[in-house]
């Protein structure tokens, strides 16, 4: 991306506000945006996941960054309000032009609390399932969305790589950093067989666990069965399992009812979004529970009847809280998508003229694949004109219809 766009500087003079946890991979993404000409200000969307050294590195390169590992809730909202303060040539505070978000917490907060601070925003790119869900429920379905959104999360080269392969590799690091127990032979329940769930079940099966699935979606449930996993009704799964992992993007996937059904010694963790999937507030506020800290990433809660439940990472995302998150290569693919999306939105505003959700065009999805794995470009088969005409595609791509499901 830098080689292709550095001289062109397609983001020259564009004010970009990013609200994504600052890892080493994010730091490189931020500096890429700067090299492409953007004026960048950044904040973390998370209390816990940023890397202090990465934040310091970005700051040393002259980019205002408001993030650290272990923020208070007051600091969390303070960084939102500080990061948004772009200035014009006269020194007046102005709104950003575009937002790059991860979970849409920043965007939701600003639209509800301080809409005047983002009154010049022309568009947004969102890279998570929960963020897109939030924008639909709070703004799009109510007809009050203020600008177009590119749903980067549903780009093929994001959903099928970050969500599946990133989760498959990063789950085990976070889980073992917290638990350090034998996983082979354990009864593991995965809530959700979406892309993140698929990555998690591959990791658990690969290490020798006995994996079962809980689902609400009949199509995903059918996929799980055809892949050889056992589909269990939720109450049955809670009584059966020893390790429970949520991957749904929905609140209270594991609530008090589910916890009461679990056997003593169960481990509970979240692999999807913040601390909402496991009802961690039940653990924090229930004075009948006795909390015993095992390590920084693991707490044991003793119930009045003596039952013990282990909660990993206080209900926050286990691979980020107890580990380093997805591998750099996978995150590079995601940030390639984000970069192509924001460039396309800046260069072709006419293609994003309505205040609705768009997907990254398929031609850019294919470009993201080539940029991420340049070695495949010389190995791909070439269509003849006759073949291309038969398929109804351009010889140079894109090779699938926009609605094609990979």
């Amino acid at each position: 991306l830098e080689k292709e766009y550095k001289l062109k500087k397609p983001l020259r003079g564009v004010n970009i506000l990013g609200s994504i946890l600052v890892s080493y991979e994010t730091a490189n993404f931020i500096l890429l945006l700067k090299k492409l000409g953007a004026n960048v200000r950044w904040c973390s969307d998370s209390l816990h996941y940023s890397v202090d050294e990465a934040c310091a590195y970005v700051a040393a390169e002259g980019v205002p960054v408001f993030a650290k590992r272990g923020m208070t809730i007051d600091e969390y909202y303070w960084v939102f309000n500080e990061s948004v303060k772009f200035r014009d040539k006269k020194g007046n505070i102005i709104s950003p032009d575009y937002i790059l978000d991860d979970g849409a917490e920043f965007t939701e907060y600003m639209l509800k609390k301080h809409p005047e601070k983002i009154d010049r925003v022309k568009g947004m790119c969102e890279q998570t399932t929960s963020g897109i869900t939030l924008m639909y429920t709070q703004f799009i379905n109510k007809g009050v969305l203020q600008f177009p959104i590119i749903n980067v999360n549903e780009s093929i080269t994001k959903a099928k790589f970050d969500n599946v392969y990133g989760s498959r590799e990063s789950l085990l690091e976070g889980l073992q950093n917290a638990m350090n127990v034998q996983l082979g032979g354990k009864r593991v329940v995965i809530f959700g067989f979406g892309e993140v769930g698929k990555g998690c079940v591959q990791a658990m099966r690969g290490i020798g666990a006995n994996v079962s699935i809980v689902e609400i979606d009949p199509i995903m449930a059918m996929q799980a069965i055809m892949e050889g996993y056992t589909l269990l009704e939720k109450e049955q799964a809670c009584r059966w399992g020893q390790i429970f992992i949520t991957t749904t993007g929905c609140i209270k996937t594991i609530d008090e009812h589910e916890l009461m059904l679990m056997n003593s010694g169960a481990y509970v963790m979240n692999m999807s979004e913040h601390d909402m999937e496991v009802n961690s507030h039940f653990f924090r506020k229930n004075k009948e529970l006795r909390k015993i800290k095992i390590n920084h990433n693991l707490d044991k809660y003793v119930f009045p009847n003596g039952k013990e439940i282990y909660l990993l990472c206080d209900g926050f995302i286990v691979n980020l809280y107890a580990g380093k998150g997805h591998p750099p290569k996978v995150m590079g693919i995601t940030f390639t998508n984000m970069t192509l999306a924001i460039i396309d939105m800046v260069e072709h505003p006419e293609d994003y003229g309505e205040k609705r959700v768009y997907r990254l065009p398929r031609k850019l999805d294919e470009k993201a694949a080539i940029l991420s794995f340049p070695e495949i470009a010389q190995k791909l088969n070439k269509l003849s004109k006759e073949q291309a005409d038969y398929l109804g595609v351009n010889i140079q791509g894109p090779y699938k219809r926009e609605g094609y499901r990979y």
Side-chain angles (χ1 to χ4, degrees):
L1 278 168
E2 182 178 347
K3 290 179 181 177
E4 179 166 347
Y5 289 110
K6 187 176 181 180
L7 295 179
K8 301 176 185 177
K9 293 194 181 302
L11 302 178
R12 188 189 306 273
V14 178
N15 293 331
I16 294 179
L17 184 288
S19 181
I20 302 173
L21 67 98
V22 184
S23 63
Y24 294 116
E25 296 80 19
T26 314
N28 282 321
F29 174 45
I30 295 169
L31 296 182
L32 171 63
L33 296 173
K34 181 183 178 183
K35 291 173 183 177
L36 300 188
N39 302 318
V40 184
R41 293 176 70 86
W42 210 268
C43 65
S44 176
D45 67 315
S46 165
L47 298 173
H48 302 289
Y49 308 138
S50 288
V51 178
D52 290 341
E53 292 84 355
C55 297
Y57 174 65
V58 173
E61 293 294 319
V63 177
V65 56
F66 302 88
K68 68 174 184 177
R69 188 176 185 88
M71 293 189 290
T72 66
I73 193 66
D74 289 337
E75 289 172 330
Y76 178 69
Y77 290 115
W78 180 84
V79 304
F80 282 2
N81 286 297
E82 288 300 309
S83 62
V84 80
K85 295 178 181 178
F86 288 85
R87 294 186 182 272
D88 62 18
K89 293 180 180 179
K90 296 181 180 179
N92 300 312
I93 294 176
I94 58 172
S95 159
D97 298 317
Y98 296 90
I99 297 171
L100 305 180
D101 214 335
D102 178 85
E105 290 92 351
F106 171 87
T107 304
E108 179 195 30
Y109 173 78
M110 286 297 167
L111 286 175
K112 290 184 174 181
K113 299 293 186 180
H114 301 288
E116 74 284 355
K117 293 184 179 181
I118 57 170
D119 58 4
R120 296 174 68 248
V121 169
K122 303 171 186 176
M124 168 194 178
C125 299
E126 169 57 47
Q127 66 173 21
T128 68
T129 303
S130 60
I132 290 297
T133 299
L134 181 63
M135 294 307 294
Y136 267 105
T137 58
Q138 297 301 310
F139 303 103
I140 299 167
N141 293 347
K142 298 176 182 178
V144 293
L145 184 65
Q146 299 299 305
F147 38 72
I149 300 172
I150 295 183
N151 178 2
V152 173
N153 181 66
E154 292 187 17
S155 301
I156 300 302
T157 47
K158 198 279 184 185
K160 299 292 184 180
F161 291 82
D162 180 320
N163 295 11
V164 178
Y165 304 129
S167 300
R168 184 174 69 184
E169 296 195 26
S170 64
L171 167 63
L172 291 175
E173 179 201 18
L175 189 153
Q176 287 292 39
N177 283 347
M179 293 169 49
N180 192 29
V181 300
Q182 177 70 36
L183 296 174
K186 289 288 194 301
R187 299 187 300 274
V188 177
V189 177
I190 308 288
F191 286 79
F193 199 68
E195 306 297 0
V196 174
K198 288 180 174 68
C200 291
V201 299
Q202 289 175 21
M204 290 293 99
R205 172 188 269 180
I207 208 165
N210 187 355
V211 182
S212 293
I213 306 297
V214 174
E215 249 300 343
I216 63 168
D217 187 314
I219 296 174
M220 290 183 177
M222 181 173 64
Q223 287 180 325
I225 291 171
M226 294 296 286
E227 288 288 341
Y229 299 103
T230 301
L231 184 71
L232 294 179
E233 183 267 335
K234 181 174 65 175
E235 282 73 18
Q236 180 187 5
C238 290
R239 296 187 180 97
W240 175 83
Q242 295 170 296
I243 297 173
F244 299 86
I245 306 171
T246 65
T247 71
T248 66
C250 186
I251 62 171
K252 296 183 179 180
T253 299
I254 293 180
D255 204 353
E256 181 178 353
H257 172 67
E258 289 74 37
L259 293 168
M260 293 304 179
L261 294 175
M262 293 177 185
N263 294 311
S264 184
Y267 290 86
V268 178
M269 70 199 76
N270 162 37
M271 254 296 287
S272 186
E273 186 60 29
H274 293 301
D275 63 340
M276 67 183 194
E277 297 199 12
V278 177
N279 186 0
S280 52
H281 296 285
F282 167 77
F283 290 100
R284 295 172 196 158
K285 296 181 178 180
N286 192 327
K287 295 181 180 179
E288 294 184 348
L289 304 181
R290 182 163 59 94
K291 178 180 176 180
I292 301 172
K293 179 164 285 296
I294 306 301
N295 59 51
H296 178 68
N297 302 310
L298 181 65
D299 296 306
K300 178 168 70 174
Y301 287 88
V302 182
F303 287 63
N305 64 359
K307 181 168 75 172
E308 298 174 347
I309 298 290
Y310 293 89
L311 178 65
L312 276 68
C313 304
D314 201 25
F316 288 92
I317 308 176
V318 64
N319 67 327
L320 285 168
Y321 196 103
K324 298 182 179 68
H326 294 344
K329 183 68 174 182
V330 172
M331 291 310 303
I333 300 170
T334 294
F335 289 141
T336 296
N337 273 276
M338 288 288 270
T339 305
L340 292 174
I342 190 62
I343 290 174
D344 201 52
M345 192 171 260
V346 169
E347 291 188 334
H348 303 287
E350 68 279 2
D351 293 340
Y352 303 96
E354 300 178 28
K355 297 174 181 178
R356 64 177 181 86
V357 176
Y358 295 83
R359 290 186 180 178
L360 195 69
R362 184 54 49 83
K363 63 180 180 180
L364 294 182
D365 232 339
E366 292 183 357
K367 184 172 184 176
I370 295 296
L371 287 168
S372 300
F373 289 85
E375 64 273 15
I376 69 175
Q378 302 305 316
K379 300 178 181 179
L380 293 173
N381 189 28
K382 308 294 183 183
L383 290 174
S384 68
K385 184 178 185 305
E386 180 184 13
Q387 290 172 322
D389 290 343
Y390 175 80
L391 294 173
V393 301
N394 189 293
I395 290 178
Q396 303 302 322
Y399 299 104
K400 299 290 188 293
R401 296 178 298 277
E402 289 292 337
Y404 182 84
R405 301 290 294 175
Y406 284 78

